[in-house]
Amino acid sequence: MLKRCWLALLLLLAVLTAPGRAEAQYYFTLSDLDTLFVKNHLYFALDNEGLGNPSANHLHFVRIDTTTGNFTGYIVMPQVLPSFQSMNVPVTGTITINSDVGDHGYSFGTGNNYGITFSWTYTTDCFEQGASYTGAITFVGYRDGKMLANIAGTFNSDWVQCVSGGVNLGPEPFSGVLVQ
């Protein structure tokens, strides 16, 4: 009887952890991410769970240091104050790979976790606007030959103008999808 219970439990665990059930397990290196984001020109359209306009606000990667995870890129901003014009603003940040392998060498079978932080600052005469983002990237899998991934987290934003003073927003949520 005990043997049947163990077999039933193992079968249940195999079904629950089978690839394709939910999200796939990925063990990308920083070199893999450099290929995906920089060489293949993939970027994240930041659409806040479909509530924003993804064509007007997205994160592009220009260079990823495959040793440290530090990266440079730009974020296309829909309306940068004070002129309210769309523009490309340089960003710097870091991608951190957190392994799913525990202290004793066992894999949890979830795939790696990809943390991301980045920030930008835009300054003109008597005006400064900036934001800092903290979040994570989840790779969902390939569909029709295209990698699917999501990005989400929170950001803090502030701007200072000589005449009216400063405004600080945050933390506010952000999210987006990978675009090819």
Side-chain angles (χ1 to χ4, degrees), residues 34-43 60-61 178-180:
D34 181 62
T35 298
L36 280 171
F37 299 140
V38 177
K39 292 179 180 71
N40 293 342
H41 304 287
L42 303 184
Y43 64 92
H60 292 262
F61 298 86
L178 190 64
V179 175
Q180 296 191 33

Side-chain angles (χ1 to χ4, degrees), residues 23-119:
E23 294 174 357
Q25 302 167 15
Y26 289 98
Y27 296 91
F28 291 133
T29 65
L30 290 170
S31 293
D32 297 330
L33 298 179
D34 181 62
T35 298
L36 280 171
F37 299 140
V38 177
K39 292 179 180 71
N40 293 342
H41 304 287
L42 303 184
Y43 64 92
F44 284 100
L46 305 178
D47 66 356
N48 290 335
E49 303 300 324
L51 298 175
N53 180 355
S55 67
N57 196 2
H58 35 92
L59 172 65
H60 292 262
F61 298 86
V62 173
R63 182 183 176 281
I64 297 176
D65 184 315
T66 58
T67 305
T68 64
N70 294 337
F71 70 88
T72 57
Y74 61 94
I75 189 164
V76 177
M77 301 299 298
Q79 297 178 339
V80 177
L81 296 174
S83 65
F84 293 101
Q85 294 179 354
S86 178
M87 61 186 342
N88 297 345
V89 179
V91 301
T92 58
T94 303
I95 296 175
T96 305
I97 299 176
N98 301 300
S99 174
D100 79 339
V101 176
D103 293 338
H104 300 289
Y106 299 110
S107 171
F108 294 105
T110 59
N112 290 336
N113 173 306
Y114 304 90
I116 185 169
T117 59
F118 60 97
S119 61

Side-chain angles (χ1 to χ4, degrees), residues 1-13:
M1 179 69 168
L2 186 58
K3 187 175 181 179
R4 286 185 187 159
C5 288
W6 278 108
L7 289 174
L9 179 61
L10 288 174
L11 179 60
L12 177 63
L13 289 173

Side-chain angles (χ1 to χ4, degrees), residues 119-122 127-133 155-160:
S119 61
W120 57 268
T121 301
Y122 173 73
F127 176 80
E128 183 175 301
Q129 181 180 3
S132 60
Y133 293 73
F155 74 94
N156 289 296
S157 178
D158 57 6
W159 62 83
V160 178

